[in-house]
Amino acid sequence: MIDLKFIAENLDVVQKKLDDRGVEVDIGQILQLNERRKAMVARHDELRHRQKEVSKGFRNKDLNASQREELRNQAATLAAQVKELDEEIRELDVRIRERLLMVPNLPADDVPVGKDENDNVEVRRWGEARVFDFKPKEHWEIGQALGILDFKAAGKISGSRFVLYRGAGARLERALAAFMLDLHTGEHGYDEVLPPFLVTADTMTGTGQLPKFEEEAYKTKDDLYLIPTAEVPVTNMYRGEILQGKDLPLKYAAYSACFRREAGSHGKDVHGIIRLHQFQKVELVKFAMPEESFKELETLTRDAQEVLKRLGLHHRVIQLSTGDLGFSAAKCYDIEVWMPGEGRFREISSCSNCVDFQARRANIRFRRAQGAKPEFVHTLNGSGVAIGRTVAAILENYQQADGSVVIPEALRPYMGGLERIEKPNK
């Protein structure tokens, strides 16, 4: 959520950055509501002052009965007016907050201005695309032929956009999760957490999923939501709390299942495991000092990259333009892995600095020193990385002419020493 005071004092800047995002937001209406609120608060303060004056009047022992009755009438009238104003101010607070919650974060100054993904900027590449002496297949073809991806059984169980992993496929998912967590906790300094996968509406609101993206979330009948990413529960670990500056940055790695309706994506990626209603990933979350957060974004992105480097997967890092930024992000890098079966790069991680946007929504603050005024912390998050898409990338990049798939060396200790996934004997 953007600071209302900042909006009022920097209206032209805010409007320009929202225009760069390509979103239409009636900032003027929010400011008008805020001006009404200010006037009501001033009137409220005036009435409270008059209430105090009337209360003082009762101390006058020389008042007759008629005068005391008049003071009682004044006190009752003032009390009713104050109560009415209290209700109107609370109502305005709700209306202002509802509108502010729908305003996306402002792009950082160094984010390239653009309309959509076509205006994103490539920052760097790692590795080279493998050259095949046969026509490479797509991951879903490979996985089905090997008997490790079962879409038919998943469809019977749950419907479309689900997968059932079998045998070495299930072990590969488990191996990747363990490998990523070991790397991030053992070498990158993250603390591992395993969060709940069901969260409250307040938790979803804190990170920006609600109210804007409610149609994309799975909601239970008792008003809990299945998480779309571990970013949601992990960021909310400190909702309503004040952290100590000496403890920052705080760094967490969390494995979770993720659940998304994928509203509006009908017809996209109907084959395979790229776009599912349920998938697993390892998420990285940071709480950082404001002046350090953009440096922390760079290290977070490189931490996610290291997973792909260890697995020998050719990839690139893209900086998103203003028109392609996520709702809560001020700056974002996408990491895209090369998929030879498709002949293109595919997003496998998105690493964002949300600055104080989520912290304001969730009221997460910190003190630089004991007794110092609390400030809003900066929050960052990124996939470290999406496990299903990594499975897909391994199947396509390590496929062999005979239909088998070689296991990357870094994963073999997690696969019980298995070096290759081969077709089952008929």
Side-chain angles (χ1 to χ4, degrees), residues 28-44:
Q29 184 186 57
I30 297 174
L31 293 179
Q32 286 175 6
L33 290 173
N34 192 47
E35 288 302 313
R36 281 180 57 190
R37 185 189 184 281
K38 287 180 180 179
M40 286 183 181
V41 170
R43 174 62 175 160
H44 183 276

Side-chain angles (χ1 to χ4, degrees), residues 138-141 144 149 151 160-163 265 267-276 339 342 344 346 389 392 396:
E138 294 190 48
H139 72 275
W140 56 272
E141 298 177 276
Q144 288 185 116
L149 299 180
F151 298 101
S160 61
R161 293 189 185 277
F162 289 90
V163 66
S265 64
K268 284 186 178 182
D269 303 314
V270 293
H271 295 296
I273 57 177
I274 296 297
R275 195 181 298 273
L276 299 175
M339 303 289 285
E342 293 187 64
R344 61 166 170 158
R346 278 283 199 172
R389 294 191 178 199
E396 292 198 14

Side-chain angles (χ1 to χ4, degrees), residues 320-365:
L320 302 194
S321 70
T322 54
D324 199 30
L325 277 179
F327 181 78
S328 297
K331 183 176 182 179
C332 180
Y333 294 113
D334 273 3
I335 303 174
E336 298 179 341
V337 67
W338 177 248
M339 303 289 285
E342 293 187 64
R344 61 166 170 158
F345 285 99
R346 278 283 199 172
E347 177 197 335
I348 198 167
S349 173
S350 187
C351 302
S352 301
N353 184 1
C354 300
V355 295
D356 62 356
F357 185 81
Q358 293 178 327
R360 288 182 180 278
R361 298 169 75 104
N363 193 27
I364 308 171
R365 297 175 293 169

